[in-house]
Amino acid sequence: MIGKINIIGLGPGGIEDISLGTMEKMKHFQHVYLRTRKHPTVSYLEKIGIVFKSFDFIYDQGENFQEVYHKIVLELIEKAKQEKEIVYAVPGHPLVAEETVERILKLSEQQKLEVEILPAMSFIDAMIQSLKIDPIYGLKIIDALEMDSQGVDPKIGNIITQVYSPLIASETKLKLMEYYKDETMIIIVRAAGVEGEEKIVQIPLYELDRQPWIDYLTSVYIPPVVEVQQMSGGQIQRLEEIVSILRAKNGCPWDKKQTHESLKENFIEEVYEVIDAICKEDMKNLEEELGDVLLQVVFHSQIAKEKGYFDLQDVIRGICEKLIYRHPHIFGNVDVKTSKEVLINWEKLKKIEKDMNTQTEVLKAVPYSLPALMRAYKVQKKAADIGFDWESIEDVIEKIKEEFYEFLEVYSTSNPDKIVEELGDLLFSVVNGARFLKIQPEIALGKATEKFIHRFSYMEDEAKKQNKNLEEMSLEQMNQLWNQAKKSKI
């Protein structure tokens, strides 16, 4: 080792929180560095004659905290190499919410540095003491600057650290409102455990950023949510909890009796309603319908959880792992340049993942429960993936003609099975034509059906103008109205 860094903690703020070992280290070392002078014990260190330098000047140079911490660590490593052994003092406990220490530990072996850590009382200990809470019932510590990645768990207590300014408090409030209702009572703690300076205030969440005294010693505590009604909308945990309550012993009679089997039609219906909202470009309705689909996912997960198979977290974990595995060009070192290459790679990985050894297994894996047009399209596409496809659209059209004439040969016979077979072949060949033209047959048929409805509506309206109902008209008269609708380009 070419240098040593002694990392010591200054405790949460009170002089009594600094250990004798820490004091001795600082007294007997010539090279003492503080991450920041902004700590209640600094004036005491100066009073007893401890000489130190701080890195506060770096805070003024950096554009963000990540850059500041990076520069501090590089400075410390350089100082340790030059001076052989140094002391680095940080607020609280060195291993609790101290990113510079985390970075030093990661780089120490690479830089051939020895690191020794002297523990201290952390601000978490002081918070627990001040709030009179027992962490055994669950406590999550979250950095206010990392809330997006760390998340909040409303079912247990949450301590938000680094709420060091009204601006950060405002950003923290907005993030917390994604989990909690605006009126949720929270506790702000400033200078926890520091005699004469500690301040504890209980306020509703919406007032968090209205406290002018918030500074670098401020943290926020949100107690566990007891009632699911206290939670804000849009949170998967809330939905999971609501479904659990509905399925419980004293829950809803309808929800309690549902099974995977009984919910099948509901699931299919909800998915089609999503597609309908997309086709209509109705974003408000799409938001609602996506919620209904999400409910189905949570509902099935809850039923499976009750039977001991899996739960919602397993479902989410599974899809996360699948996405990472099937995107090696993003999360690995595979090089792809086009979306076509992505799809080819996706299918290869899927085949490996599902342990499929033949393309027939791939075709059989296309769900039988899919609408027939969609299933035919997917089966044809997967066959085409290995080169079994028509060379041109003209070839496909000839095949459609061939199947049409074969259908004509049998449609008037007394062999219904053969009629069904030939009609199926005709439809299958039409789907092939749609696929070759990159048209989804399900969508094309859906548009044709809508067009039929509009033209039929035109016929009824025109009949009413003649004081007639369609039922009173002959087929010839109705055909005339139909042709009028076509000419009107309806």
Side-chain angles (χ1 to χ4, degrees):
M1 294 295 176
I2 60 174
K4 181 177 180 180
I5 303 178
N6 297 280
I7 305 176
I8 64 176
L10 297 175
I15 299 169
E16 65 279 3
D17 297 331
I18 304 179
S19 69
L20 290 174
T22 295
M23 296 300 298
E24 289 300 310
K25 279 281 185 185
M26 286 192 286
K27 284 179 182 178
H28 291 92
F29 270 86
Q30 182 181 354
H31 306 292
V32 177
Y33 298 91
L34 271 59
R35 175 166 65 77
T36 177
R37 291 179 58 91
K38 292 182 178 181
H39 191 271
T41 60
V42 170
S43 57
Y44 174 73
L45 298 181
E46 291 175 321
K47 183 178 177 181
I48 62 174
I50 293 177
V51 179
F52 59 83
K53 295 178 182 178
S54 83
F55 291 113
D56 286 302
F57 68 95
I58 294 180
Y59 283 83
D60 299 327
Q61 300 173 356
E63 292 185 6
N64 53 57
F65 279 99
Q66 299 304 313
E67 186 179 328
V68 168
Y69 297 148
H70 179 67
K71 287 183 177 179
I72 289 175
V73 170
L74 292 182
E75 285 268 351
L76 283 167
I77 290 172
E78 204 55 41
K79 297 291 185 187
K81 290 178 179 178
Q82 292 171 4
E83 297 158 4
K84 301 306 177 187
E85 189 168 3
I86 64 173
V87 169
Y88 175 51
V90 298
H93 191 297
L95 295 176
V96 178
E98 185 54 57
E99 189 170 335
T100 56
V101 174
E102 185 180 339
R103 287 170 178 251
I104 291 168
L105 291 173
K106 285 181 179 177
L107 291 171
S108 58
E109 188 172 341
Q110 175 189 329
Q111 297 291 330
K112 294 183 169 51
L113 290 173
E114 183 181 348
V115 177
E116 182 179 342
I117 295 177
L118 273 71
M121 183 176 176
S122 75
F123 80 96
I124 300 299
D125 298 307
M127 286 282 289
I128 289 170
Q129 174 65 27
S130 298
L131 295 167
K132 304 293 187 294
I133 57 175
D134 188 344
I136 194 69
Y137 298 110
L139 185 64
K140 186 168 184 178
I141 317 300
I142 303 162
D143 187 332
L145 306 177
E146 300 292 337
M147 286 186 68
D148 282 334
S149 59
Q150 294 179 357
V152 173
D153 187 349
K155 293 182 181 179
I156 61 174
N158 290 263
I159 290 178
I160 316 296
T161 71
Q162 301 259 50
V163 187
Y164 57 80
S165 71
L167 176 61
I168 297 300
S170 179
E171 293 175 358
T172 301
K173 179 183 78 171
L174 294 176
K175 291 294 180 186
L176 289 173
M177 282 179 173
E178 295 178 11
Y179 298 85
Y180 304 93
K181 289 191 175 296
D182 299 3
E183 302 81 12
T184 301
M185 297 305 292
I186 64 172
I187 300 172
I188 305 179
V189 182
R190 183 197 172 277
V194 182
E195 188 175 351
E197 294 188 42
E198 183 180 78
K199 187 181 184 76
I200 301 177
V201 178
Q202 187 174 32
I203 59 170
L205 174 57
Y206 66 84
E207 292 185 5
L208 174 56
D209 54 352
R210 302 178 188 175
Q211 317 307 311
W213 44 268
I214 285 177
D215 64 8
Y216 64 96
L217 293 175
T218 305
S219 295
V220 175
Y221 174 68
I222 309 100
V225 169
V226 179
E227 299 288 341
V228 69
Q229 293 91 329
Q230 293 177 306
M231 294 173 68
S232 180
Q235 293 308 306
I236 195 73
Q237 300 99 322
R238 186 185 185 210
L239 178 57
E240 189 177 13
E241 183 69 17
I242 290 171
V243 173
S244 175
I245 291 170
L246 293 174
R247 292 274 302 174
K249 184 178 179 181
N250 297 320
C252 171
W254 185 88
D255 292 283
K256 287 193 296 183
K257 73 176 187 178
Q258 298 311 307
T259 64
H260 293 303
E261 188 68 26
S262 70
L263 289 171
K264 283 195 308 186
E265 289 185 15
N266 299 64
F267 211 151
I268 292 170
E269 182 181 325
E270 299 299 356
V271 171
Y272 276 114
E273 287 178 357
V274 166
I275 302 303
D276 190 55
I278 293 172
C279 291
K280 293 176 179 176
E281 297 184 359
D282 185 344
M283 292 301 105
K284 183 173 178 56
N285 194 39
L286 177 60
E287 177 187 350
E288 180 184 343
E289 299 303 341
L290 286 172
D292 291 342
V293 169
L294 180 58
L295 170 59
Q296 292 294 316
V297 174
V298 175
F299 213 133
H300 281 281
S301 299
Q302 177 64 28
I303 294 171
K305 179 181 178 180
E306 292 164 5
K307 296 180 178 297
Y309 294 123
F310 58 84
D311 61 18
L312 184 62
Q313 293 307 309
D314 295 321
V315 172
I316 295 171
R317 186 183 305 109
I319 190 60
C320 287
E321 290 174 356
K322 181 189 288 186
L323 286 172
I324 292 170
Y325 173 73
R326 293 195 188 174
H327 288 83
H329 53 289
I330 302 297
F331 302 105
N333 54 10
V334 174
D335 183 31
V336 295
K337 294 180 174 60
T338 67
S339 59
K340 184 177 180 181
E341 289 177 322
V342 170
L343 292 175
I344 292 171
N345 202 41
W346 177 282
E347 289 300 324
K348 285 179 181 177
L349 291 169
K350 184 176 179 180
K351 201 169 177 179
I352 295 169
E353 183 185 314
K354 302 287 185 182
D355 194 27
M356 296 176 183
N357 299 310
T358 67
Q359 197 66 10
T360 300
E361 290 178 291
V362 174
L363 302 187
K364 287 181 177 179
V366 177
Y368 189 83
S369 56
L370 277 176
L373 290 178
M374 291 177 65
R375 184 165 184 256
Y377 188 98
K378 287 180 73 78
V379 166
Q380 291 170 4
K381 185 177 180 301
K382 290 184 183 298
D385 286 343
I386 61 166
F388 187 66
D389 202 4
W390 301 98
E391 292 186 359
S392 69
I393 184 61
E394 287 73 23
D395 294 334
V396 182
I397 291 172
E398 286 303 314
K399 183 63 178 176
I400 293 172
K401 290 179 181 178
E402 176 189 322
E403 297 296 349
F404 175 68
Y405 289 124
E406 288 182 6
F407 171 70
L408 288 180
E409 288 177 10
V410 301
Y411 86 97
S412 59
T413 68
S414 58
N415 188 341
D417 291 339
K418 190 65 177 174
I419 295 172
V420 169
E421 179 185 339
E422 294 301 339
L423 179 60
D425 290 346
L426 175 58
L427 291 172
F428 194 82
S429 62
V430 171
V431 171
N432 232 333
R435 179 188 59 80
F436 212 89
L437 295 170
K438 295 182 170 52
I439 297 170
Q440 275 287 352
E442 196 78 29
I443 293 174
L445 183 57
K447 287 184 176 181
T449 303
E450 283 299 301
K451 183 167 66 176
F452 178 87
I453 293 171
H454 289 314
R455 288 179 178 175
F456 195 88
S457 176
Y458 174 90
M459 290 167 58
E460 281 200 315
D461 291 342
E462 290 299 312
K464 285 178 183 176
K465 290 177 183 178
Q466 301 173 26
N467 296 316
K468 293 181 180 179
N469 292 321
L470 288 180
E471 296 96 322
E472 300 168 352
M473 290 185 160
S474 66
L475 180 58
E476 183 181 356
Q477 290 173 315
M478 284 192 281
N479 279 333
Q480 287 177 352
L481 292 178
W482 179 266
N483 289 328
Q484 285 178 32
K486 286 179 67 176
K487 289 177 181 177
S488 301
K489 297 183 179 180
I490 291 176

